[in-house]
Amino acid sequence: DAKTTQPTSMDCAEGRAANLPCNHSTISGNEYVYWYRQIHSQGPQYIIHGLKNNETNEMASLIITEDRKSSTLILPHATLRDTAVYYCIFHAGGTSYGKLTFGQGTILTVHP
Amino acid sequence: NAGVTQTPKFRILKIGQSMTLQCTQDMNHNYMYWYRQDPGMGLKLIYYSVGAGITDKGEVPNGYNVSRSTTEDFPLRLELAAPSQTSVYFCASSSPIERKHGELFFGEGSRLTVL
């Protein structure tokens, strides 16, 4: 899996959009971008994933640059419950199954 | 649906003792995984299974064993516990549909302390 670079920590005001960046300059063409979050030592929670196109679901939006060297996870209206560690992961699928490589992630703190 | 269920949630072991962490899922997922997470660190893969009767090593398998006799269950066995195995253990599962391989469902974790 490709190595990702994320900021160690970020702050966001409640009700505002949280934009979490991730750099992945060595990503391969067949590797998906996955985002997970982990709230206070609970089990990680899947958020969203994408390959080339931008993606949106009920939790977040994922913006992937055209050259695929970076991406941004957007939480459109952050709440206090979104305070968590957010992991950006690259994964090829296929015979890689669900063997994910977790880095240090970004600690997002949402404040009132 | 209960999802992925792990037991026990907490356990304290003495050095040299053995124990089994239980994991069961009710989503009919073929793929199951065991990860460990040390304080302040990301998760590391211990073992994984792509179906009943099939298991394989992950990044940090030493000191552990697994079995997969049914689709639902994937127990993790610790033999001769050592302080280095003090960690939080997470079991997870995912669908065999290729575009969902990386969409893992995690249990709540089992916190193990070896003294």
Side-chain angles (χ1 to χ4, degrees), chain A residues 36 38 41 44 49 94 98 100, chain B residues 33 35 37 99 101-102 104 111:
Chain A
Y36 278 78
Q38 188 173 25
S41 298
H49 76 282
L100 304 178
Chain B
Y33 317 87
Y35 285 85
Q37 184 174 32
R99 61 179 174 81
H101 281 184
L104 270 58
R111 285 153 181 78

Side-chain angles (χ1 to χ4, degrees), chain A residues 32 34 36 38 40-46 49 87 91-94 97-100 102-104, chain B residues 31 33 35 37 40-43 45 48 50 90 94 98-104 106-108 111:
Chain A
Y32 291 81
Y34 279 82
Y36 278 78
Q38 188 173 25
H40 189 54
S41 298
Q42 295 177 15
Q45 177 188 25
Y46 165 81
H49 76 282
Y87 296 100
H91 183 61
Y97 306 111
K99 295 183 288 180
L100 304 178
F102 287 80
Q104 297 287 86
Chain B
Y31 302 157
Y33 317 87
Y35 285 85
Q37 184 174 32
M41 306 296 288
L43 282 72
L45 182 65
Y48 69 100
V50 299
F90 291 102
S94 67
E98 182 162 347
R99 61 179 174 81
K100 288 183 173 288
H101 281 184
E103 190 176 329
L104 270 58
F106 283 86
E108 288 301 307
R111 285 153 181 78

Side-chain angles (χ1 to χ4, degrees), chain A residues 22-27 64-71 90:
Chain A
C22 181
N23 288 322
H24 35 82
S25 59
T26 60
I27 190 172
I64 303 173
T65 58
E66 192 168 345
D67 63 8
R68 300 203 339 119
K69 291 184 177 181
S70 65
S71 61
F90 294 91

Side-chain angles (χ1 to χ4, degrees), chain B residues 3 17 27 43 47 55-56 65 78 82 84 90 96 110:
Chain B
Q17 286 185 320
M27 296 173 283
L43 282 72
Y47 269 96
T55 62
D56 208 347
N65 280 300
L78 282 73
S84 61
F90 291 102
S110 297

Side-chain angles (χ1 to χ4, degrees), chain A:
Chain A
D1 289 337
K3 181 174 173 59
T4 62
T5 303
Q6 299 178 252
T8 302
S9 62
M10 296 183 64
D11 288 335
C12 179
E14 189 176 20
R16 304 298 295 270
N19 297 285
L20 290 88
C22 181
N23 288 322
H24 35 82
S25 59
T26 60
I27 190 172
S28 299
N30 65 337
E31 289 181 311
Y32 291 81
V33 179
Y34 279 82
W35 283 85
Y36 278 78
R37 72 180 183 183
Q38 188 173 25
I39 298 172
H40 189 54
S41 298
Q42 295 177 15
Q45 177 188 25
Y46 165 81
I47 301 173
I48 197 167
H49 76 282
L51 184 63
K52 296 180 183 178
N53 300 321
N54 298 337
E55 301 286 345
T56 296
N57 63 21
E58 65 279 3
M59 289 183 66
S61 294
L62 174 60
I63 309 298
I64 303 173
T65 58
E66 192 168 345
D67 63 8
R68 300 203 339 119
K69 291 184 177 181
S70 65
S71 61
T72 301
L73 177 74
I74 301 172
L75 307 178
H77 305 287
T79 71
L80 299 179
R81 287 175 293 181
D82 291 321
T83 293
V85 180
Y86 287 78
Y87 296 100
C88 170
I89 300 166
F90 294 91
H91 183 61
T95 56
S96 295
Y97 306 111
K99 295 183 288 180
L100 304 178
T101 299
F102 287 80
Q104 297 287 86
T106 296
I107 301 170
L108 174 68
T109 303
V110 181
H111 51 86

